[in-house]
């Protein structure tokens, strides 16, 4: 029984919430699908341009640099230009580009180079990938902003 003094102490009515799996399932699904697309593209590129034993892993290097440049372009487009559907970013950004770029293979390549007696190549690869990947993101974003500014003064 409520009295006038306790009537205001009731908790507000709650709206029913959807279970977390129902809101996250589409996101997980599109990330997985995008990851499969990106990883397949990366694998095909690695088969097309295999690394030589002890040599600089050019395929992984250029995969990561190209993927980072596309990430720079993509982030500008979806944040500054296009109000994308909520699943576009997880599909393309996290899935496709996350599956395409491969910093785990980068780490394994560095370790293999060191283990096989090529520490200078490993160090050069380690530094070059870091600098080139960060530069590619910046250049991709800057170039996209410049093009957009030029097209829409």
């Amino acid at each position: 029984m409520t009295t006038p003094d306790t009537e205001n102490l009731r908790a507000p009515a709650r709206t029913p919430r959807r279970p977390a799996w129902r809101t996250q399932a589409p996101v997980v699904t599109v990330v997985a699908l995008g990851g499969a697309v990106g990883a397949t593209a990366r694998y095909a590129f690695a088969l097309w341009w295999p690394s030589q034993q002890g040599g600089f892993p050019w395929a992984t290097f250029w995969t990561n640099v190209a993927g980072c440049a596309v990430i720079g372009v993509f982030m500008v487009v979806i944040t500054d230009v296009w109000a994308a559907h909520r699943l576009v970013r997880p599909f393309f950004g996290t899935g496709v580009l996350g599956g395409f770029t491969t910093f785990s293979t980068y780490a394994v390549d560095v370790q293999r180079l060191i283990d096989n007696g090529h520490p200078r190549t490993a160090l050069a690869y380690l530094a070059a990938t870091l600098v080139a990947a960060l530069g590619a993101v910046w250049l991709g974003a800057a170039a996209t902003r410049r093009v957009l500014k030029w097209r829409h003064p």
Side-chain angles (χ1 to χ4, degrees):
M1 180 163 148
T2 62
T3 65
D5 294 336
T6 60
E7 192 170 312
N8 293 334
L9 298 177
R10 281 192 204 166
R14 291 187 178 191
T15 56
R17 291 181 64 187
R18 294 175 65 182
W21 69 268
R22 294 190 82 190
T23 58
Q24 293 302 313
V27 175
V28 171
T29 301
V30 298
V31 169
L33 292 171
V37 170
T40 301
R42 174 177 36 92
Y43 181 69
F45 190 58
L47 288 178
W48 178 72
W49 193 358
S51 296
Q52 294 179 2
Q53 182 73 18
F56 196 92
W58 289 108
T60 304
F61 175 81
W62 287 115
T63 295
N64 287 332
V65 172
C68 285
V70 174
I71 287 170
V73 171
F74 177 66
M75 291 310 296
V76 169
V77 169
I78 67 164
T79 57
D80 296 357
V81 177
W82 180 39
H85 184 276
R86 74 178 190 94
L87 296 178
V88 170
R89 187 173 179 172
F91 172 75
F92 191 71
T94 305
V96 174
L97 294 174
F100 184 69
T101 57
T102 173
F103 288 94
S104 59
T105 301
Y106 161 66
V108 169
D109 287 343
V110 169
Q111 187 63 51
R112 279 192 191 138
L113 287 166
I114 292 169
D115 291 347
N116 291 326
H118 303 282
R120 287 187 196 140
T121 304
L123 187 57
Y125 175 53
L126 186 73
T129 298
L130 180 62
V131 170
L134 290 173
V137 170
W138 182 83
L139 283 172
T144 303
R145 283 193 179 100
R146 181 169 285 232
V147 166
L148 291 171
K149 191 175 184 179
W150 174 71
R151 289 188 67 200
H152 302 288

